[in-house]
Amino acid sequence: MSILSLRGVSAAYGPINVLHDVSLEVPARQAVVVLGANGAGKTTTLRSICGITNNRGSIVFDGAEISRMATADIVRRGVAHVPQGRGTFADLTVRENLDLGAYLRRDKAVRADIDRCFDLFPRLSERATQAAGSLSGGEQQMLAIARGLMLRPKLLVLDEPSLGLAPIIVRDLFDTLATLRSERELALLIVEQNADLALAMADHAYVLEAGSIVFGGPSEVVRQNDTLRRAYLGY
Amino acid sequence: GGRGSNDSSAIPGVTDSEIILGSSYPYSGPASAFGTIGKGIATYFDYLNAEKGGVKMGDGKTRKIKFISYDDSYAPEKQLANAQKLVEQDKVFATFAMFGTPTHLAAVDYLNAKKVPDVWVNSVSAQFSVESTKWPFTLAFPPTGQTEVDVLATYLGQTKPDAKIGLLFQNDDTGKGAVAQLEKNVAGTRMKLVAKESYEVTDPTVDSQVTNLVQSGADVIWMAVAPKQGAQAIKRSAELKFKGVRIISTTASSVAAVLTPAGLEASKGLISTAFTKDASDPKWASDPDVVEANRIIEKYGKGLKANDSLALTGINAAQIMERTLERMDEPTRDSLMKTVRTIDPPLQLPLVLPGVTVSTGPDKLLAVTILQVQQFDGAAWQSVGEPVSLDQ
Amino acid sequence: MNMLSVEGVSLRFGGVLALDDVTFSVDDGSICGLIGPNGAGKTTLFNCITRLYDPDSGHIHFNGLDLLDRRAHEIPRHGVARTFQNLGFLPGETVLDNVLLGAHHRFRSRYLGALLRSVAHRREQRALTEDALTVLAGLNLLDLAYRPVGGLPYGTQKRVELARAVVGKPRLILLDEPANGLTHGEVDELGDVIRRFQAERDLTVVLVEHHMRLVMGVSDHIVALAMGRKIFDGTPAAAQSNAALSEAYFGTTA
Amino acid sequence: MFFQQIVDGISSGAIYALLGLAIVMVHRGSGVANFAQGEMAMLAAYIAWQVNAWGAPWALAMLAAVGASFGIGMLVERLVARRAAQGSVLTVVIVTLGLFLVINQSAGYLWTFEIKDFRGIMPSGVWSVGGVAVSYDAMGVVGALVLCGVGLYLLLSRTRVGLAMRAATSNPESAALVGIRTSRVHMFSWGLAGSIGAVAGVMVAPRLFLEPSMMFGSLLFAFAAVTVGGLDSPLGAVIGGLLVGISENLAGTYVDFIGSDLKIAVPLLIIVLVLIVRPAGMFGNRSVTRA
Amino acid sequence: MTQTQAVPSSSLSSPLWITRARRLRWALAALLALIALLLPFGLQPYNVLRLTLVLIFGISIMGLNLLTGYAGQISLGHGAFFAVGAYVTAITCNEWSSPFAVALPASLVVTFVLGGLIGIPALRIRGVYLGVITLALAIIVPSLVKRFDSVTGGAQGLRVPQLQAPAWSGLGGDQWTYFVVLVVCVLVFLGARNLTHGHIGRAMVAVRENELAASANGVDVVQVKLVSFAVSAALAGLAGGLYAIVVGYVAPDSFTLLLSINLLAGMVVGGAGSIAGPLIGAVFIEYTPIVTSGFNQALGGMIYGLVIVVVMLLFPKGVVGLGELVAARLPWTRPDQGVRR
Ligand SMILES: Nc1ncnc2c1ncn2[C@@H]1O[C@H](COP(=O)(O)OP(=O)(O)OP(=O)(O)O)[C@@H](O)[C@H]1O
Ligand SMILES: Nc1ncnc2c1ncn2[C@@H]1O[C@H](COP(=O)(O)OP(=O)(O)OP(=O)(O)O)[C@@H](O)[C@H]1O
Ligand SMILES: CC(C)C[C@H](N)C(=O)O
Ligand SMILES: [Mg+2]
Ligand SMILES: [Mg+2]
């Protein structure tokens, strides 16, 4: 059963159409990666899911149609979105940013989760009282991811999570994501340029080109198929 | 004259059945409170046209009054443009009760250059009356600030010859005029001006100024102020238990709009001059002229409320114009100027206090030089003596 | 010859020692890869060189010129350009305008010239616009010249950044993670572009990147920072086999 | 005299501070400087006056006004401020100035420009100690300031709502992404600001006297106060307000050249000096910009 | 992006839609200029006066626009510079009976210097904070005028001799004045266009959008801010000087806060950061109150406020912003849709 499914989703900025009839599925507890050249519409797809971009079509999450919902309400249903290029609260401290990640939660585990984030990104604990805007680019990216994790979502949407992160951190991050997926029964939808790493971890892959899905299937297929890789991913 | 009808067609703004008057008021902007006066004027003319068919002028013809007034938001250049529009487009017979000193100073040269009568200007500045050589077509109506100061200073000189005066005034030309006139009055007397405090209209309160005056050792506090600051100063001086004499300007003497909010007890003993009947003063509440004016306001004043002193000011102004028109021999601008420059015999207007008359003549350029000194007894203003005349 | 030399540069923000006595130099015409964990101080070092930050101590010389004597806006005129890690654009303006901003210091005419649209002003305006468009064409961005830069995909914006830096005709160019948001294939192309610019425009390059294939592929020389301190200085090959670097940065447990 | 001027300064300053709190509230919750805040306070005072004129006791009338103002504030956000925010900061500034005109002129139309007799709940009279007179009205204003100030401080620093407000202003899109309903947060801040402004309006009306331009001068000083204190700091608004009130009075009294006609220049000088040292006010958060 | 391509020079010229949009703008400007030349002959003097005031407000809004619209430094008190300019002209004309050819430049220079000085604190202070400081300036200037009444005439104000049309022109005084102001206005607008359409304008926008990026690209932020302040103040001062001559009278009440607010409203309604915006804004602030109070005198001010609110809600980026939206959808001037990478 799919936790998220998009059916015929189109999106436009002003008069310009950038997504055409995109359909994709994220099965429960699985990781799905979306690949594509830059400008293909990956970010737009993710933003449509969270109701940030105007779009047409049907988006069903956890049994409910969410395509007309406000962003905050979608998030309240259990979708966490880590936007491309930071999106932290620059004026607030690292700690406050994490607290805000848990804004919707009332449970007791929040403290423990913050510690867990600090374990994953020790850098953040050293900077806990510093304004997020003064962090380095990679530190901000860590913060954005950590904030997404703090929500304890059912579906975690990540837009190029490896952006600006040191290789060792990227590796740790993907390990952690894999762990969390089984541990918390988390579903993942990831846009990632580091295709090797993403494909290794994901169960399914989609390839977007110029706003349309040109491939969808098990990630293994992409890994094995050189023609496919070369045609769409350039390597 | 019988041939008047022919002549009048050549004169702008007047026909056998209609006369056009123009004006300019701040209907919008920071001074829009005074727009109520303009609306009061329009209300009265509406009443005249509806119930009396207009004004019966000296030539025997009854003419409806078409009163056109434009908004200038108290901006001088806008009053100038309005004046030009009234003359050039609306072809008014005369402008009437144009409002405000700085605003009218921008328009007055133009009107005189065009030889358009600019009568009963609504400004307390004396220059619009006394500069009759420079501006032969201009004349103001309300008692000037100087007149008010002169009357009160004379009264004070008689009742408290050793007065040590602390003055509170608005930092504009009216306030500055009051300072100058008071200084002139105390010169050569035993009275002294011991403290001066000014305020800007934008000051939230005048408490600090009043405190300074109370503690300056003055035994007279003279408040040359607008209504709001008047209320504040009355209340504050009472709170500080000021024991001396308190004088307040006429504009801030309304029982309903100043003294009641300030506290009737706190207002007890105030000295002021009066020009018109205060509709909110119990003494005048049932005066037939006031009742009639209120009826007119309620029937014709779109959105105006009875007893609004600004609306009544407008009615009063319209009434002086009505009388002026009645006295004109012929419907010409010359005749109008002649009439306003020789209001003789003096006029007693319905809303003006008995004994306070309007008159002009070759040697009397200011129209209102009689005022009534009055004292507040905690419920109503009581006249002190007879109206004081300062006729030169 | 040294084009850039950084000597004993330190900078502290409150409790954070962002740069700790950093010394290294970059040869004229070379490509230097500057790597290190997140928060190591790479961007901060760029900020010191371009005078957006004041180091607490140390010296920075460029071509014999003491850069610490200069103010930020004078740096491009002396031949140093940079890109920003997280984009430093005027998002509402067109790509062309943004690129032309990078050529700001090349305008000779000043307020009066612009006010009167003097002949000289118009001539240089035309020339520099052509220059900008040529650079855009070289990066395959010509079609986007009149589009507002704000709506472009992230990877494209990173390329516009590159164009903006290059159009200033710098001698030294500081690239802060230019490969962010690019696909594998595009990263390889970027490597070619950097080399090409370096050769054609006679540039010296300092490249901050976490993309190891790119850094190791194009760099002549690698400097690594960690916790504000220099931990490595040598050839790419040596870097890849350096144990400390591997542990702190690459994550390949040797 | 000196102490009297200090006390007068405090009681004026309390007015600016109270209005300043409302301004801070809106700014903190939606990043907007609301130039119509004073007029909304004035409107609240008229509402209280009208309800009282219909026969309700003052306390009830004032409560009604504070409640109504919460609704008015929310409505203004919903119908006006939110849409204007699609433009620039300046669009919002102009819109609030437009609202200023609408409220001010409507009040004159509905209730005339004459002063209304507004008694309020404080007894009239003064309390004197050692030659210094403090009116009960002024004490009421100070009391309201303390209540609102402490309440607001607790709300902003101790509750989730406060954090949500800061998040919604700092980065609305990300705020939505952590589940904050930003539009509700904005509406709530405007509503709350409306109520605080209303408290200011009904408490100062007996002292400033109720007419349509009642709050205009105070608005200017309130802006001076929040600028000195920092546009997003309630503590700053309180301290700024008192500072402006006291300095304005003392300077007008003791500095000859200034006198009362130039005393308005004093807050300006203070602002410039404070801002040159601390560009975001004494207690304001300076937003971080790094390369 | 692999090879260095030889770029055909034709592809370096602007795309067609840009050229067309540019032509459309010039055509509109030419049409406007023609109308501006003919109008005073078909109108009564009071309307010519109003148009003259529109031009004057247009000049000062353009000044504000350079500072606030382009360089992003909020000024809520530009009426202060307008007032200073008006008084400088009034005083030089009165005290020293200098002809306007001296008085107007004097206004320009004095306000230029004053603006530069006021710009110094603005180097550190931003946004609403700067707005409040300039607002206070606008409140203080009238008080200062009253305080120094020996030179300024105090609350009474000063009269200024008005322009007389030379006999050879055959024009009325109002028409002559109009054309003089028109010439100044055209020069100011052309100058502003030139200044903003090149690297200087780009530098101003960069200062507005991103100071860090601006200085990293070689923009001297300090200089741009100071020059913007000075030029902006100078234009307001010039407009003030023209105002003094045209109206023939200056008083503190001519320069209340309302003036500053109107200038700002005009700029935003017209469209901040555009060349046509200030003129549209000037028309708006001069004529809207007339229209609204003609509509209903009792509620004129209320309706004016309502109109401002509604206009801003309908076109949050001003009238010019609306025009751009329309242009982006016209088949002629619509940006090409095909976007390659
Ligand atoms: N705000 C916007 N305004 C206008 N066009 C936009 C906007 N955002 C995106 N686009 C356009 O939509 C298309 C898809 O962009 P999107 O950001 O979704 O691509 P992407 O696949 O995420 O690219 P990248 O890998 O570079 O992040 C692009 O052509 C882009 O120009
Ligand atoms: N303005 C500032 N205020 C406080 N701390 C700062 C500031 N600028 C940088 N820092 C701190 O200095 C450290 C170095 O930051 P810098 O941006 O130079 O890292 P970096 O090496 O570029 O990292 P990344 O690879 O993540 O971009 C970081 O930990 C950051 O938090
Ligand atoms: C110009 C700045 C806003 C850019 C920013 N410093 C960055 O790291 O990209
Ligand atoms: Mg993307
Ligand atoms: Mg960095």
Side-chain angles (χ1 to χ4, degrees):
Chain A
M1 201 207 64
S2 290
I3 188 155
L4 177 77
S5 69
L6 277 66
R7 299 268 155 74
V9 172
S10 307
Y13 294 99
I16 303 172
N17 276 318
V18 295
L19 281 190
H20 316 279
D21 244 346
V22 167
S23 299
L24 62 78
E25 305 278 330
V26 180
R29 274 162 297 168
Q30 300 219 346
V32 173
V33 61
V34 179
L35 303 170
N38 80 72
K42 306 179 296 294
T43 298
T44 308
T45 306
L46 300 194
R47 289 166 67 87
S48 299
I49 294 169
C50 290
I52 306 171
T53 307
N54 283 333
N55 57 278
R56 279 169 292 120
S58 151
I59 304 175
V60 176
F61 173 73
D62 209 7
E65 176 68 48
I66 57 166
S67 56
R68 292 280 154 276
M69 279 187 195
T71 304
D73 294 317
I74 296 171
V75 172
R76 280 161 190 254
R77 291 182 166 267
V79 181
H81 179 153
V82 178
Q84 181 169 24
R86 306 179 180 184
T88 52
F89 301 102
D91 301 335
L92 276 56
T93 65
V94 168
R95 184 59 204 246
E96 285 167 332
N97 269 273
L98 294 177
D99 286 342
L100 276 166
Y103 181 76
L104 295 176
R105 289 172 54 186
R106 310 254 181 200
D107 55 301
K108 294 271 181 318
V110 171
R111 261 233 63 103
D113 280 2
I114 288 186
D115 289 341
R116 178 123 193 225
C117 287
F118 284 161
D119 283 347
L120 175 60
F121 303 122
R123 207 55 213 240
L124 292 183
S125 70
E126 293 162 30
R127 298 280 181 276
T129 57
Q130 201 169 310
S134 72
L135 298 181
S136 83
E139 289 165 347
Q140 296 202 32
Q141 182 71 6
M142 298 176 201
L143 180 57
I145 296 168
R147 200 187 63 203
L149 293 174
M150 287 302 298
L151 185 70
R152 285 218 174 197
K154 296 180 194 155
L155 170 69
L156 179 60
V157 176
L158 297 163
D159 198 346
E160 304 203 17
S162 75
L163 200 81
L165 293 182
I168 185 173
I169 304 278
V170 176
R171 213 148 299 176
D172 289 354
L173 171 66
F174 275 82
D175 288 348
T176 308
L177 290 178
T179 319
L180 285 177
R181 174 164 64 121
S182 41
E183 204 176 274
R184 290 196 195 153
E185 313 209 323
L186 177 67
L188 289 162
L189 176 60
I190 305 176
V191 163
E192 182 54 66
Q193 297 293 17
N194 196 334
D196 277 342
L197 207 57
L199 286 170
M201 180 228 176
D203 306 293
H204 292 268
Y206 288 90
V207 178
L208 259 178
E209 193 185 59
S212 302
I213 301 270
V214 292
F215 171 86
S219 49
E220 231 14 63
V221 176
V222 190
R223 271 157 62 107
Q224 308 298 334
N225 188 332
D226 285 354
T227 1
L228 195 64
R229 278 211 318 271
R230 221 162 283 133
Y232 296 116
L233 307 175
Y235 74 103
Chain B
R3 286 192 283 127
S5 57
N6 268 342
D7 292 344
S8 67
S9 63
I11 301 166
V14 59
T15 64
D16 280 355
S17 57
E18 188 187 62
I19 183 163
I20 308 176
L21 300 176
S23 197
S24 178
Y25 272 82
Y27 293 112
S28 67
S32 51
F34 297 105
T36 309
I37 300 177
K39 290 176 223 159
I41 296 173
T43 300
Y44 189 74
F45 288 147
D46 283 349
Y47 146 80
L48 276 185
N49 292 340
E51 296 191 8
K52 300 266 162 75
V55 190
K56 185 164 185 215
M57 290 178 54
D59 63 353
K61 296 210 167 69
T62 297
R63 293 185 174 83
K64 291 217 191 268
I65 297 173
K66 185 170 170 195
F67 178 69
I68 304 172
S69 71
Y70 295 118
D71 180 20
D72 59 30
S73 20
Y74 209 62
E77 81 279 1
K78 290 200 172 141
Q79 181 159 123
L80 172 60
N82 287 349
Q84 294 187 358
K85 183 173 183 190
L86 290 166
V87 171
E88 292 156 11
Q89 180 190 290
D90 303 317
K91 308 254 185 301
V92 294
F93 178 72
T95 60
F96 157 61
M98 300 278 272
F99 181 80
T101 308
T103 38
H104 199 57
L105 277 171
V108 65
D109 283 340
Y110 168 81
L111 291 170
N112 279 275
K114 290 280 174 186
K115 301 196 190 328
V116 178
D118 175 29
V119 300
W120 305 132
V121 170
N122 193 352
S123 156
V124 294
S125 169
Q127 58 190 321
F128 295 124
S129 300
V130 298
E131 300 272 14
S132 65
T133 32
K134 188 158 92 186
W135 298 320
F137 292 90
T138 298
L139 187 92
F141 171 51
T144 66
Q146 275 105 311
T147 304
E148 188 181 330
V149 171
D150 288 346
V151 168
L152 285 167
T154 311
Y155 166 81
L156 198 60
Q158 287 158 4
T159 55
K160 203 171 167 65
D162 296 315
K164 286 181 288 190
I165 305 169
L167 177 67
L168 177 67
F169 63 99
Q170 184 160 318
N171 191 14
D172 63 5
D173 74 314
T174 315
K176 290 269 171 84
V179 179
Q181 198 66 14
L182 186 59
E183 276 167 349
K184 217 185 279 174
N185 268 284
V186 297
T189 71
R190 301 217 306 276
M191 296 190 289
K192 268 213 296 267
L193 189 54
V194 295
K196 287 185 292 187
E197 291 280 332
S198 72
Y199 67 87
E200 297 287 338
V201 268
T202 48
D203 286 358
T205 75
V206 295
D207 286 2
S208 163
Q209 287 92 329
V210 175
T211 301
N212 285 340
L213 290 178
V214 167
Q215 304 196 344
S216 67
D219 53 13
V220 173
I221 291 185
W222 185 310
M223 301 172 267
V225 293
K228 176 163 95 174
Q229 287 78 11
Q232 290 176 350
I234 292 168
K235 185 170 185 181
R236 187 66 185 162
S237 54
E239 280 174 4
L240 294 174
K241 312 229 155 40
F242 179 71
K243 291 285 179 290
V245 175
R246 291 178 301 162
I247 292 175
I248 191 147
S249 52
T250 313
T251 46
S253 67
S254 161
V255 175
V258 178
L259 307 192
T260 311
L264 292 177
E265 195 52 38
S267 304
K268 213 165 160 179
L270 282 171
I271 300 286
S272 178
T273 59
F275 167 46
T276 53
K277 300 168 182 170
D278 178 354
S280 63
D281 187 325
K283 192 164 74 183
W284 298 112
S286 52
D287 178 83
D289 293 323
V290 170
V291 171
E292 171 69 356
N294 273 332
R295 180 189 73 82
I296 292 171
I297 289 175
E298 289 193 318
K299 178 139 186 228
Y300 298 96
K302 302 173 192 84
L304 293 186
K305 311 255 185 312
N307 283 335
D308 184 330
S309 64
L310 290 165
L312 287 160
T313 304
I315 304 267
N316 189 37
Q319 286 172 337
I320 178 79
M321 195 67 210
E322 178 191 15
R323 300 290 185 280
T324 309
L325 293 174
E326 282 167 1
R327 286 190 177 194
M328 281 165 58
D329 303 332
E330 48 178 25
T332 63
R333 287 174 165 178
D334 283 348
S335 170
L336 172 61
M337 286 323 298
K338 205 174 108 229
T339 310
V340 295
R341 292 238 176 259
T342 48
I343 302 282
D344 188 25
L347 270 172
Q348 175 72 55
L349 293 169
L351 293 178
V352 170
L353 293 178
V356 177
T357 56
V358 183
S359 65
T360 56
D363 302 319
K364 187 169 182 297
L365 297 171
L366 298 175
V368 181
T369 47
I370 307 178
L371 290 172
Q372 172 72 57
V373 177
Q374 52 179 4
Q375 182 161 33
F376 190 68
D377 68 2
W381 286 104
Q382 302 301 340
S383 299
V384 178
E386 292 298 304
V388 180
S389 165
L390 290 177
D391 286 348
Q392 300 92 331
Chain C
M1 228 267 308
N2 285 348
M3 166 129 296
L4 176 73
S5 81
V6 174
E7 289 164 46
V9 168
S10 299
L11 177 56
R12 175 181 288 280
F13 296 102
V16 179
L17 191 52
L19 290 175
D20 184 1
D21 196 17
V22 175
T23 302
F24 70 94
S25 57
V26 182
D27 287 344
D28 194 352
S30 71
I31 298 179
C32 169
L34 181 60
I35 59 174
N38 297 117
K42 306 178 294 295
T43 302
T44 304
L45 185 64
F46 276 13
N47 286 341
C48 290
I49 298 171
T50 55
R51 307 298 296 107
L52 297 181
Y53 286 169
D54 273 322
D56 296 330
S57 58
H59 298 281
I60 301 175
H61 287 272
F62 168 69
N63 248 347
L65 182 81
D66 185 355
L67 284 186
L68 297 187
D69 271 356
R70 306 281 136 186
R71 286 172 50 210
H73 69 269
E74 298 169 318
I75 300 300
R77 206 187 321 137
H78 291 299
V80 182
R82 74 175 286 178
T83 66
F84 286 105
Q85 183 173 358
N86 273 281
L87 309 169
F89 282 133
L90 322 178
E93 309 299 305
T94 62
V95 167
L96 177 60
D97 268 321
N98 272 287
V99 172
L100 274 171
L101 182 62
H104 181 79
H105 65 94
R106 291 177 62 196
F107 282 85
R108 290 285 145 262
S109 56
R110 303 185 49 83
Y111 295 93
L112 210 59
L115 185 70
L116 304 174
R117 287 193 85 211
S118 65
V119 179
H121 172 68
R122 266 153 44 201
R123 193 180 306 130
E124 72 180 354
Q125 182 147 340
R126 211 171 309 123
L128 288 172
T129 305
E130 252 172 43
D131 222 20
L133 288 168
T134 312
V135 171
L136 283 173
L139 286 165
N140 252 6
L141 292 167
L142 198 54
D143 292 348
L144 301 177
Y146 294 90
R147 290 267 309 254
V149 75
L152 298 176
Y154 193 82
T156 310
Q157 296 197 13
K158 290 298 291 192
R159 272 187 288 146
V160 178
E161 277 266 307
L162 189 58
R164 186 177 51 71
V166 165
V167 83
K169 289 224 160 155
R171 304 275 294 111
L172 171 68
I173 188 165
L174 311 173
L175 303 177
D176 202 346
E177 307 197 14
N180 276 357
L182 301 187
T183 60
H184 281 282
E186 289 168 331
V187 172
D188 294 343
E189 288 177 26
L190 178 69
D192 296 343
V193 168
I194 292 174
R195 272 220 210 77
R196 196 182 81 216
F197 278 146
Q198 190 264 326
E200 283 175 5
R201 297 188 166 246
D202 187 22
L203 284 174
T204 304
V205 180
V206 181
L207 171 66
V208 167
E209 245 319 324
H210 293 301
H211 201 290
M212 280 310 115
R213 201 154 43 94
L214 177 62
V215 191
M216 297 305 167
V218 301
S219 301
D220 302 311
H221 153 219
I222 299 282
V223 172
L225 300 180
M227 310 282 276
R229 216 169 317 188
K230 187 171 86 174
I231 57 166
F232 176 84
D233 195 335
T235 62
Q240 271 160 311
S241 55
N242 181 290
L245 252 184
S246 292
E247 198 179 328
Y249 187 55
F250 305 129
T252 36
T253 29
Chain D
M1 167 117 124
F2 177 75
F3 289 107
Q4 184 67 54
Q5 287 293 1
I6 296 268
V7 168
D8 286 1
I10 291 175
S11 63
S12 308
I15 300 176
Y16 314 149
L18 205 46
L19 197 54
L21 282 181
I23 294 169
V24 163
M25 190 63 232
V26 166
H27 191 264
R28 188 132 166 179
S30 63
V32 171
N34 180 12
F35 285 88
Q37 198 74 61
E39 301 314 281
M40 290 167 70
M42 174 273 290
L43 181 63
Y46 270 110
I47 294 174
W49 180 87
Q50 187 67 62
V51 173
N52 171 261
W54 285 332
W58 275 112
L60 194 66
M62 287 161 80
L63 269 182
V66 172
S69 297
F70 192 88
I72 294 173
M74 292 210 300
L75 223 57
V76 167
E77 197 283 332
R78 185 68 248 266
L79 300 178
V80 181
R82 186 178 305 180
R83 291 216 49 184
Q86 292 166 6
S88 66
V89 194
L90 287 171
T91 310
V92 189
V93 167
I94 297 299
V95 162
T96 63
L97 288 170
L99 277 179
F100 179 104
L101 289 179
V102 172
I103 300 174
N104 180 286
Q105 304 280 309
S106 313
Y109 183 77
L110 290 173
W111 289 291
T112 80
F113 289 90
E114 299 214 314
I115 299 169
K116 293 282 184 246
D117 183 16
F118 192 109
R119 276 289 133 80
I121 44 167
M122 298 306 288
S124 55
V126 291
W127 182 65
S128 319
V129 261
V132 174
V134 197
S135 69
Y136 294 123
D137 294 331
M139 289 197 260
V141 178
V142 174
L145 173 66
V146 170
L147 280 180
C148 291
V150 170
L152 201 55
Y153 174 79
L154 291 179
L155 179 81
L156 291 182
S157 63
R158 294 289 154 81
T159 67
R160 273 158 42 95
V161 180
L163 192 59
M165 279 178 182
R166 290 173 58 201
T169 325
S170 166
N171 189 339
E173 191 175 297
S174 292
L177 285 177
V178 298
I180 294 169
R181 293 181 166 127
T182 45
S183 47
R184 288 195 198 179
V185 170
H186 290 168
M187 268 171 91
F188 177 75
S189 340
W190 277 77
L192 198 60
S195 286
I196 296 171
V199 171
V202 298
M203 292 309 291
V204 303
R207 222 162 93 70
L208 297 186
F209 292 95
L210 178 56
E211 41 91 37
S213 64
M214 170 174 83
M215 294 309 282
F216 179 66
S218 302
L219 177 78
L220 297 175
F221 283 107
F223 263 102
V226 293
T227 314
V228 168
L231 267 165
D232 49 3
S233 160
L235 179 67
V238 174
I239 301 217
L242 297 180
L243 189 70
V244 168
I246 293 172
S247 62
E248 167 218 11
N249 271 8
L250 289 185
T253 306
Y254 291 107
V255 185
D256 260 358
F257 172 77
I258 293 172
S260 29
D261 52 346
L262 269 187
K263 70 179 191 174
I264 198 160
V266 173
L268 167 75
L269 274 177
I270 297 179
I271 301 178
V272 173
L273 293 180
V274 169
L275 291 188
I276 285 178
V277 183
R278 289 190 58 92
M282 291 187 294
F283 303 97
N285 253 329
R286 201 175 169 182
S287 62
V288 259
T289 39
R290 58 157 289 181
Chain E
M1 63 185 196
T2 343
Q3 291 97 33
T4 316
Q5 305 138 318
V7 188
S9 68
S10 65
S11 72
L12 294 188
S13 58
S14 334
L16 200 55
W17 63 275
I18 296 262
T19 320
R20 281 170 174 169
R22 199 175 295 148
R23 281 197 202 128
L24 187 66
R25 276 200 293 273
W26 277 115
L28 283 175
L31 185 69
L32 188 73
L34 189 69
I35 295 175
L37 280 177
L38 295 179
L39 266 181
F41 297 105
L43 292 176
Q44 279 165 323
Y46 81 91
N47 268 324
V48 178
L49 170 67
R50 289 213 164 121
L51 284 180
T52 311
L53 288 170
V54 165
L55 298 178
I56 289 174
F57 289 133
I59 294 171
S60 51
I61 295 177
M62 177 52 90
L64 179 61
N65 185 37
L66 289 178
L67 179 67
T68 304
Y70 281 93
Q73 309 300 302
I74 296 185
S75 168
L76 296 179
H78 237 53
F81 300 115
F82 190 92
V84 171
Y87 268 98
V88 170
T89 289
I91 292 167
T92 37
C93 280
N94 270 339
E95 295 277 314
W96 299 301
S97 60
S98 56
F100 307 116
V102 177
L104 283 179
S107 286
L108 194 79
V109 170
V110 169
T111 46
F112 184 89
V113 173
L114 184 68
L117 290 177
I118 301 289
I120 293 174
L123 293 176
R124 268 177 74 74
I125 303 166
R126 297 194 164 75
V128 181
Y129 291 94
L130 183 58
V132 172
I133 287 188
T134 48
L135 181 79
L137 189 70
I139 297 168
I140 284 175
V141 164
S143 297
L144 283 175
V145 166
K146 291 181 211 162
R147 167 54 71 94
F148 297 103
D149 49 3
S150 52
V151 260
T152 62
Q156 276 290 322
L158 287 177
R159 316 209 127 253
V160 187
Q162 278 163 292
L163 279 184
Q164 302 299 328
W168 53 261
S169 69
L171 295 172
D174 57 309
Q175 291 166 328
W176 175 254
T177 311
Y178 171 85
F179 282 115
V180 169
V181 176
L182 182 65
V183 169
V184 177
C185 184
V186 168
L187 289 178
V188 164
F189 272 69
L190 278 179
R193 188 211 157 268
N194 292 348
L195 210 52
T196 53
H197 274 52
H199 64 299
I200 304 284
R202 206 175 297 122
M204 291 164 81
V205 172
V207 167
R208 175 186 81 199
E209 295 287 322
N210 192 335
E211 280 186 29
L212 268 177
S215 57
N217 281 299
V219 175
D220 186 346
V221 175
V222 169
Q223 189 189 56
V224 168
K225 280 191 185 179
L226 289 182
V227 171
S228 301
F229 248 102
V231 170
S232 166
L235 290 187
L238 176 67
L242 289 169
Y243 171 97
I245 292 168
V246 167
V247 177
Y249 171 70
V250 294
D253 285 294
S254 316
F255 314 111
T256 55
L257 201 51
L258 191 67
L259 172 64
S260 296
I261 290 173
N262 272 337
L263 295 181
L264 191 71
M267 181 193 76
V268 178
V269 165
S274 68
I275 294 298
L279 212 51
I280 299 171
V283 171
F284 180 86
I285 60 171
E286 178 65 20
Y287 284 100
T288 313
I290 296 171
V291 173
T292 57
S293 72
F295 187 63
N296 179 341
Q297 201 145 59
L299 284 171
M302 199 274 260
I303 301 172
Y304 179 46
L306 213 55
V307 169
I308 290 181
V309 172
V310 170
V311 167
M312 291 285 57
L313 293 188
L314 291 181
F315 337 123
K317 304 216 163 90
V319 176
V320 170
L322 178 76
E324 274 164 8
L325 272 186
V326 171
R329 289 182 189 251
L330 288 181
W332 244 59
T333 47
R334 183 175 49 207
D336 305 15
Q337 289 211 9
V339 175
R340 284 199 287 127
R341 291 179 302 272

